Amino acid sequence: IGATPVTALAESAGLAINNGIAVDSRLRTSDKHIFAAGDCCSFPMALYGGRRVRLEAWRNAQEQGALAARNMLGAELEHTAVPWFWSDQYDFTLQIAGLPEGAASVVRRDLGGGAFILFHLAADGQLLSASGIGPGNAVARNIRLAEMLIARQARPEPSELTSSDVKLKKLLAA
């Protein structure tokens, strides 16, 4: 269904708007004294070529709120967290790390018990995102490891991602 950020106050304050309140990588608005965080703001993601995104997820709002507070106190840290989402659908849990837009290929790893993960790869082999579904927490550990691989801009071999014999933790150590 989607959501529309409420930006009237920011607009009346003269702040730049771009699919929400436009902020820089440090969550600073077009007024250097005003910060914005969470669902209301769009920000550039270096991990995805500086593409501006707006994320509607509690984890993002929580991470950005804490980062904005640190930056208001002078930290000057950039927002670098990998997007992560989850949803429970009856007995199944869906978890997603990263953003799949721009993927040139998708490979699948079966985890058994009806659980699996799809890995979305860019044309150059960079892991962009991982989407998993399974009963309970069947995909949680693998999605967390995929999230770390995405953060490192890893380029694992597709055959390593599809093989249940290759542990994702081993790919992190490589």
Side-chain angles (χ1 to χ4, degrees):
I1 13 181
T4 303
V6 177
T7 59
L9 179 61
E11 288 177 58
S12 68
L15 302 180
I17 306 297
N18 182 349
N19 187 25
I21 303 167
V23 298
D24 64 14
S25 62
R26 291 175 173 81
L27 306 177
R28 187 177 290 115
T29 68
S30 54
D31 179 325
K32 68 179 183 172
H33 301 292
I34 301 174
F35 291 75
D39 301 12
C40 70
C41 71
S42 68
F43 57 96
M45 289 200 71
L47 186 59
Y48 296 99
R51 182 175 58 133
R52 183 167 287 281
V53 298
R54 185 172 59 81
L55 301 174
E56 300 166 6
W58 69 266
R59 181 173 165 191
N60 176 67
Q62 184 178 44
E63 289 170 346
Q64 283 188 347
L67 179 62
R70 287 193 298 276
N71 285 343
M72 284 183 233
L73 295 171
E76 294 296 322
L77 300 170
E78 294 193 353
H79 178 62
T80 59
V82 174
W84 177 82
F85 313 91
W86 69 273
S87 177
D88 286 331
Q89 301 296 319
Y90 299 97
D91 294 337
F92 285 84
T93 297
L94 168 69
Q95 290 193 23
I96 303 167
L99 300 173
E101 291 88 5
S105 64
V106 178
V107 296
R108 177 182 169 135
R109 175 184 282 215
D110 288 313
L111 302 175
F116 66 90
I117 296 180
L118 300 175
F119 296 98
H120 307 264
L121 302 163
D124 67 358
Q126 181 179 338
L127 180 59
L128 298 176
S129 72
S131 309
I133 190 164
N137 288 324
V139 300
R141 184 173 190 276
N142 285 297
I143 290 293
R144 177 66 181 128
L145 292 168
E147 181 182 355
M148 291 187 268
L149 287 166
I150 293 164
R152 292 184 184 179
Q153 299 180 326
R155 289 171 171 74
E157 290 296 322
S159 61
E160 294 175 315
L161 294 173
T162 60
S163 173
S164 58
D165 294 332
V166 177
K167 304 297 180 204
L168 295 181
K169 192 170 186 176
K170 177 187 168 224
L171 298 179
L172 273 171

